[in-house]
Structures are given as C-alpha cells and as structure tokens.
Amino acid sequence: MTRHIRHAAFFCALLLVALLVNATRLQVFEASSYDGNIANRRAPIARYGQPRGDILVGSEPVTGSHDTGEHLRYERTYANGPMYAPVTGFASQVYGTSLLEHTEDGVLSGTDPLLSPFPLWNDLARDRNPGGDVLTTLHRGAQEAAYEGLAGRKGAVAAIEPATGRILALVSAPSYDPSVLSGNGSSVARSWKSLNGDPDKPMLNRAVRKTYPPGSTFKVLTAAAALDSGVVQDLDEPTDSPDPYRLPGTRTSLTNESEGCEDVPLRKAFEWSCNTVFAKLGVRVGAKRMAATAQAFGFNDADLRIPFSVAESTFDPKVDRAQLALSSIGQYNTRATPLQMAMVAAAVANGGKVRSPYLVERTTRASGATVSTGGAGPVRQAMHPSTAVLVKQLMADAVREGTGTNAWIPGATVGGKTGTAQHGLGNSGTPYAWFVSWAKGDRDLEPKVAVAVVVEDADADRGEISGGGDAAPIARAVMKAVLKSSSGDGS
C-alpha cells in the first residue's frame, strides 16, 4: 500500500510541476501574443478602466475623461477641441490615437515605466499607474488669436519663440472636434467616415503635415544666401537686375507685381518683393549654395519631430538655371510647411541660429512630479550673425514702409515678409497668401515670437500684396498676444 501512495504522490507532484511550467509559459513567454490577440478584451478594458492623463496649455487642461459606466469605461473629452486638435490629435476607442495623444500615449495612459518608482515590479504584477499629464509649450493667447484669425478660411499658423524653439501656437483650419471620435458607438464610425470624406480635409494638420510653395516669403532665404556668399555686399547698391528678367536658357520672361524694380538695391527689392531681382540673385548664388542655405534653415530634413512627425520641406538642388531662378522666389518645386517658415523667421530673429522646435515642455505623474522635460535641441547656424542683422533690417523695412505694413504693432519692432504663392496647372489655382514675421517689444532685449501664416483661399486679385492683406493681420494678432503677456499686461 505504501508503494502505491508514493506513486500517487509522485504523480501529483509531477502534475503540479507541469501546471507551474505551463502557467509560466503562458504568463511569461507567451504573454505578449495573448495580450495582442484581438479576442482578448482584458487589455482594452484595463486601458479604458481609468481616466486618461491630461494635455495642458499653461496650467489648464484642454482634455478630460468621461465616465460612461460601460466596460470601456472612460472616454476622452476635449475643451475647445477644434482649436487644439492640431496639437492634441484624437484618442479613440475604435481608431486609436494621433499627434500628442499618440506620441505621449505611454504617459497619458499610465503605461510608461517612468511613471512608477518600481517599474520592474509593475511589469511583473501587471499594475497600471494613473495616467500622467503632458504640459505643452503653447501660449493660450497666441493659439486663440491664430484660431480666431483663420475663422472661416482654410490655412494654418505656426508661432515659435526664437531663442528656445518653443512652439507657441499651432493652428490648422478648417478643424474638427476630436471628441466625436472618442467612444465606440455607431456615431463614431459615422463621424470618422464623414471627416475622412470631407473635401476640405479637416483632419489634415496643415501647420505641420502639408507643404505649400512658399512664394515670396522664400526671398528671406535668398537674401541670406546672397549676403552670406558675397554676391550682395551693400543693401543699398544697385543689383543690375532687368525688368522683365528672361529666365536663363529660355524665352520666358519673369515680371513683377510692383513697378520700378529694374536695377533696384536689395533693400528696395525686398520691401516691394521684386521677383526679377531675387530670381537673378538666386542664379548668381548658384544651386549648390542656395540648397546649402535652405538645408541650414531646415529644408530637406525628413526627420524633424516635435514630437510627432513633420512633413519634409524641400528645396531641389538638382535644377537648371531657369528652374533655380523660380525656386529662389519660392516657386517651381520648392515646398515648405508653415512650421518651417516660422523656423526661418525665428532664425533671422535669433542672430541666424536655428533652434529645433518642440511642443512638450514636460511630462508629469498624476501627483505632479516631473517625469521628463523638453527643451531645445542642437543649435544650427543658418547664416552669419552679421547677415542675420542685415536680413532683420530688410524685414523691419518691409513692415515699416513696404508690403507688410498691416503687421505693424505700436510699441514694438516688427519684421516681416509677404508672399503670394502661385500653384495649380498653369498657375490656375487661387494663390496662397503668406506672411512670415517676428516681433520684439520696445522693452524686450530680444524678439519674443516668430510667426508664419498661410491662407489658402485668400483674395486672388491682390497680387503680391495679398500676403500683407490676408495673412499679415493674423500674424499681427498672434504677435500682439505674445508681446502683451511678456510685458506683464496679460497672460
């Protein structure tokens, strides 16, 4: 009998070991495959079983969480959703996440190991930390001014603090309310279909994900390249430029919207945006040097992230002389995002230094303890400091007595450049109205804000000055909002 008891005990022990081995296999080695199985409801139930952390502008959240009482308990909510959608993106129980909701999902959902003081224990115990918060660099007043300025029109605004690269405003219009995608009901699917089928593309982030021909705003770079290379040494010397200017190797003549551009100095050519002068300067500088200057400002960089990805702004280095002439006035196949052109204005304002733009100031635990901080990346010198001083003069002159007078702000120094970009087959599309600028209050030691505005459906009949008429007032409102807070008159 004793022998049978020993055999039974041994068999039970063997079964126990097998059970433990199998449990270890399932819970450790094959856990990821079960976690990712579409039939496993535990992961989404856990994910939406607690409130999501918030995205903040200043000290105020622009997101929240609504308790539905269902299995997928908490749905995302948004305050002023359309205004902040180009920053927050959406967090949907059906369609996933985008923009900051996506890149900062680990912090917001509570899965980032940095949120726990004992990350290894959390992994083993499968505990989920409360969601952390993401504090953005946005300036609430600048964001509101940009959004209100674009009301009813297609376009985008990007604003940067030149000395740091902090993004102060990021607006795209038309926009949408991300809350309509938050839940999992039938209305979410209908909203998704409607938004994606809308010809105005409200879900497209025009500030960072769409590139446009920059038009005459690109003349800021052409002026920098001409001064840096020594092609122009004095802002007030004649440029030996004909009007009209025959594109090299062709029978096509380039003309100007303004009169009196023949042989004018760079200062006057910049004030009145003379195409012929800048096209010829670009040819004299050469494709290699023009491309190098564009790249120094941030063009042809496919890796820019803020932290979500930014569409690549491009300047083609493999062009003939006629194409180079057009590229040098922001046409042909030159393309730029509004964020890129804000970087250009910021570099001029910052002594020629390009700071990488960033959108996240810091992330915190639910308790408020800092998890990580953002900050400026490596500094790139886009042009000589002495050249930056001269280009600042050109931009200030353009606002004081050129095409950018609508951006003038009392009690401040403002520099800007208008642009009207032709596009479409045979340039048949409604021109895009551009304005890039920077501003410094009279009591400030350095410029506080750089802005780029593009309006897609601007007045097509106003030629070059439409950039000043349609886009400059929006830039002015954004700059005023920033300068007002920096002077202590507002927040």
Side-chain angles (χ1 to χ4, degrees):
M1 180 65 71
T2 304
R3 181 168 60 87
H4 293 299
I5 293 174
R6 283 200 308 269
H7 287 170
F10 177 77
F11 183 67
C12 288
L14 188 63
L15 290 176
L16 180 60
V17 170
L19 181 63
L20 293 173
V21 169
N22 188 55
T24 301
R25 177 182 66 85
L26 291 174
Q27 296 185 29
V28 178
F29 297 103
E30 296 186 13
S32 59
S33 64
Y34 284 99
D35 282 343
N37 193 304
I38 194 172
N40 181 12
R41 294 276 292 168
R42 294 185 64 184
I45 289 174
R47 177 181 178 84
Y48 300 110
Q50 66 178 26
R52 190 170 173 83
D54 284 322
I55 297 172
L56 288 80
V57 175
S59 59
E60 298 295 324
V62 296
T63 60
S65 295
H66 170 62
D67 188 351
T68 66
E70 300 176 358
H71 282 297
L72 303 184
R73 184 170 172 179
Y74 287 95
E75 292 181 1
R76 196 56 150 166
T77 62
Y78 296 87
N80 297 313
M83 182 164 70
Y84 292 107
V87 175
T88 63
F90 60 80
S92 171
Q93 293 179 356
V94 178
Y95 298 107
T97 53
S98 68
L99 303 182
L100 277 189
E101 293 276 29
H102 179 72
T103 59
E104 304 301 320
D105 183 65
V107 170
L108 296 167
S109 65
T111 59
D112 191 323
L114 294 177
L115 293 175
S116 172
F118 307 107
L120 181 59
W121 170 253
N122 274 48
D123 286 345
L124 293 175
R126 294 181 175 271
D127 286 342
R128 183 182 290 265
N129 296 295
D133 294 334
V134 176
L135 177 64
T136 70
T137 59
L138 292 181
H139 183 289
R140 185 178 292 273
Q143 186 79 1
E144 291 174 352
Y147 183 73
E148 292 169 2
L150 280 174
R153 292 184 286 183
K154 293 181 187 176
V157 180
I160 297 174
E161 186 176 66
T164 63
R166 297 170 69 245
I167 296 175
L168 304 178
L170 205 65
V171 169
S172 176
S175 189
Y176 71 105
D177 187 353
S179 63
V180 301
L181 303 176
S182 295
N184 53 61
S186 58
S187 63
V188 171
R190 289 195 298 270
S191 296
W192 179 262
K193 182 178 180 181
S194 174
L195 288 170
N196 282 281
D198 191 328
D200 287 336
K201 298 182 178 179
M203 295 181 71
L204 172 62
N205 191 338
R206 288 169 162 83
V208 296
R209 296 279 174 84
K210 182 173 182 179
T211 60
Y212 302 82
S216 292
T217 60
F218 193 83
K219 293 171 184 174
V220 175
L221 286 85
T222 304
L227 290 164
D228 256 4
S229 64
V231 168
V232 174
Q233 298 182 352
D234 188 333
L235 299 182
D236 298 303
E237 284 187 356
T239 54
D240 190 27
S241 303
D243 183 11
Y245 170 60
R246 178 175 290 182
L247 299 179
T250 76
R251 295 181 179 179
T252 302
S253 292
L254 184 67
T255 58
N256 299 290
E257 295 291 341
S258 302
E259 296 182 357
C261 286
E262 182 176 358
D263 199 28
V264 295
L266 183 59
R267 190 186 302 276
K268 289 299 179 185
F270 196 93
E271 283 181 21
W272 296 104
S273 202
C274 295
N275 291 331
T276 52
V277 174
F278 284 92
K280 185 175 180 180
L281 284 178
V283 173
R284 291 177 63 191
V285 171
K288 184 177 180 180
R289 189 64 183 259
M290 283 294 300
T293 299
Q295 185 169 334
F297 276 96
F299 282 74
N300 300 334
D301 180 4
D303 299 321
L304 180 62
R305 305 184 68 86
I306 61 170
F308 47 81
S309 62
V310 177
E312 180 181 5
S313 299
T314 56
F315 183 89
D316 190 351
K318 299 178 180 179
V319 289
D320 61 29
R321 298 175 74 217
Q323 294 164 343
L324 176 60
L326 295 176
S327 297
S328 300
I329 58 172
Q331 297 289 166
Y332 186 54
N333 61 357
T334 303
R335 295 291 184 274
T337 62
L339 180 64
Q340 173 60 66
M341 294 313 296
M343 291 169 61
V344 170
V348 174
N350 195 37
K353 298 184 182 71
V354 177
R355 295 278 187 178
S356 296
Y358 66 99
L359 190 54
V360 175
E361 194 75 77
R362 66 178 183 272
T363 60
T364 69
R365 298 187 179 96
S367 64
T370 297
V371 174
S372 64
T373 58
V379 180
R380 193 168 58 245
Q381 192 74 37
M383 55 185 155
H384 298 313
S386 57
T387 295
V389 171
L390 296 176
V391 178
K392 281 181 73 175
Q393 290 181 22
L394 294 177
M395 295 182 74
D397 289 346
V399 170
R400 186 169 53 250
E401 51 191 36
T403 58
T405 53
N406 281 338
W408 179 72
I409 300 172
T413 301
V414 179
K417 181 70 190 78
T418 58
T420 302
Q422 307 294 329
H423 67 100
L425 183 63
N427 291 334
S428 59
T430 300
Y432 299 138
W434 276 93
F435 192 74
V436 300
S437 58
W438 51 264
K440 179 181 82 70
D442 287 348
R443 290 181 290 177
D444 296 327
L445 297 178
E446 59 188 10
K448 294 297 183 181
V449 58
V451 184
V453 178
V454 62
V455 179
E456 293 186 22
D457 48 1
D459 185 349
D461 299 324
R462 299 186 62 180
E464 182 61 43
I465 302 179
S466 68
D470 294 289
I474 301 173
R476 179 178 184 269
V478 174
M479 293 185 292
K480 280 187 69 176
V482 175
L483 294 180
K484 180 180 179 182
S485 63
S486 67
S487 68
D489 296 330
S491 60

